[in-house]
Amino acid sequence: MKKYHFLLSFLVLLGFQSCDHTDAYFGGSSGPILNPDTYTRLADIVKFNNVPTDALTFDPSVDSDLTAAFGTSFHIPANAVAGENLPEELIIEIREYPTLQKMAMSNVQTMSNQDMLVTGGNFFWRIIDSEGTEYQLNTPSTVTATQAVVLNMGTYATQAKYYKGAEVTQNGKDVINWTLMAENQSGMGANNVFNYVGLETGWANVDALYNYTAGERTQFTATLETSATLQDSEQMVLLIVRDFPSVMNLTTRTGNSFSTYNNSIPMGLNGTLIGVALDSGNNLHIGSTVISVEGDDTFSIDLTEGSIAQLQHLINQASN
């Protein structure tokens, strides 16, 4: 068992500060954090709906073509929505996660059961009326869609498939688990535009299953280090992979230590661990550690009081 301890030093860009606390810097002439952000739950910080919701209206009785803010485009054929006496106007609500930054800040991991996925981005969508009543599609779905892939999937792009997501609870933590839509004809088209066929409402992801080689699978543990008293239920560790676009939430834990699934990590994987926690006074603590996995490693993440803006900065650094 090898143990690595990385002393965390935050150097935040000049002028980068919390929108709530003008003196909230790490280091620099302003000194340490004086007024960390306070919250009662991590679920209010890193949450699925941390991205804007776009609303697109359409008439379900006619063919409709709609495009969301980040380029996801839908073709909704007439009568694709299930039900009789439908309203003349329905609404597509969509949240788009085209980058690792948006996925990580929203706790949208890219795992299929206990295997890593190489992701090209994802989104969540549903159909409602003006009163918020949700509608379903006829089965099988006749809806098609396109999604511009901005993440570099490398050679995995040609293997990309449509994965459908489900919100599940693992060891008390809400995460997304992705399942391949078997026998589906969706696939990558020209110019890194993914074509969905038979798109269903809910979570949709452009993914390829990571190609583990024989003897490559391993696992690791990460421990949150701080002198503060952390709330037991308000701690989390995210992994942002550097070698290919992927995000993991480490949900298996003992005390302040978080572990990956056994045999879920490729040997030699490079990435950044992001630690987030609340102390007994509801103050936010954050930290990060750059890692290279050699097998059964134990990593440490030094936490310090911080703000949402600085957490976003850490995630942005890890995702670039």
Side-chain angles (χ1 to χ4, degrees):
M1 177 75 71
K2 296 169 286 296
K3 182 167 184 176
Y4 301 84
H5 188 89
F6 297 80
L7 178 63
L8 178 66
S9 175
F10 288 111
L11 294 175
V12 179
L13 296 176
L14 181 63
F16 187 87
Q17 60 191 34
S18 165
C19 58
D20 299 317
H21 307 293
T22 57
D23 57 351
Y25 289 85
F26 288 103
S29 60
S30 297
I33 289 288
L34 300 179
N35 296 299
D37 285 350
T38 59
Y39 289 85
T40 57
R41 303 186 312 152
L42 282 186
D44 295 327
I45 303 171
V46 183
K47 53 189 178 181
F48 297 150
N49 61 349
N50 254 351
V51 299
T53 299
D54 203 1
L56 312 171
T57 59
F58 70 102
D59 180 346
S61 67
V62 299
D63 290 358
S64 299
D65 293 292
L66 309 160
T67 302
F70 286 95
T72 304
S73 296
F74 297 88
H75 176 69
I76 315 289
N79 305 314
V81 180
E84 299 180 356
N85 301 316
L86 297 175
E88 293 182 359
E89 183 177 275
L90 289 174
I91 304 165
I92 288 178
E93 282 192 343
I94 178 172
R95 302 192 307 265
E96 297 170 282
Y97 307 84
T99 65
L100 291 181
Q101 292 96 323
K102 292 183 183 297
M103 292 180 216
M105 198 65 200
S106 304
N107 189 28
V108 177
Q109 70 166 6
T110 52
M111 297 287 293
S112 180
N113 298 319
Q114 298 184 17
D115 290 327
M116 302 193 77
L117 296 170
V118 181
T119 186
N122 42 69
F123 61 90
F124 173 86
W125 74 296
R126 65 175 188 156
I127 300 172
I128 61 172
D129 62 20
S130 59
E131 302 297 322
T133 301
E134 193 165 346
Y135 290 78
Q136 303 302 318
L137 296 171
N138 283 313
T139 304
S141 170
T142 56
V143 174
T144 58
T146 59
Q147 178 183 343
V149 174
V150 298
L151 291 170
N152 183 9
M153 298 182 71
T155 58
Y156 283 93
T158 57
Q159 306 171 37
K161 303 292 184 182
Y162 168 23
Y163 279 72
K164 185 175 175 63
E167 298 177 19
V168 299
T169 301
Q170 295 177 347
N171 298 317
K173 298 295 184 182
D174 294 332
V175 294
I176 308 295
N177 185 62
W178 301 95
T179 302
L180 175 66
M181 294 293 285
E183 308 302 325
N184 186 276
Q185 300 303 309
S186 301
M188 190 70 75
N191 302 314
N192 286 329
V193 174
F194 189 82
N195 300 301
Y196 290 96
V197 178
L199 180 66
E200 299 181 1
T201 54
W203 290 94
N205 201 351
V206 177
D207 282 313
L209 189 66
Y210 179 79
N211 183 26
Y212 295 88
T213 58
E216 182 187 30
R217 290 176 179 263
T218 187
Q219 54 280 320
F220 67 79
T221 297
T223 301
L224 300 179
E225 302 283 359
T226 177
S227 59
T229 301
L230 301 180
Q231 297 183 43
D232 184 66
S233 62
E234 303 303 326
Q235 303 175 38
M236 71 184 303
V237 174
L238 295 171
L239 167 65
I240 301 175
V241 179
R242 185 191 312 163
D243 304 321
F244 51 87
S246 195
V247 176
M248 178 190 291
N249 186 328
L250 280 62
T251 59
T252 303
R253 60 173 293 198
T254 302
N256 289 357
S257 296
F258 295 74
S259 302
T260 62
Y261 295 116
N262 287 337
N263 299 315
S264 64
I265 301 297
M267 195 80 74
L269 180 106
N270 298 292
T272 301
L273 296 173
I274 305 290
V276 190
L278 298 179
D279 67 18
S280 56
N282 293 329
N283 297 309
L284 177 64
H285 291 249
I286 60 175
S288 69
T289 293
V290 176
I291 66 169
S292 182
V293 177
E294 296 183 14
D296 285 319
D297 304 293
T298 298
F299 301 104
S300 294
I301 307 171
D302 289 324
L303 299 184
T304 188
E305 291 181 340
S307 67
I308 292 296
Q310 289 158 334
L311 173 59
Q312 291 173 328
H313 181 63
L314 288 182
I315 289 174
N316 288 344
Q317 285 184 318
S319 304
N320 292 329

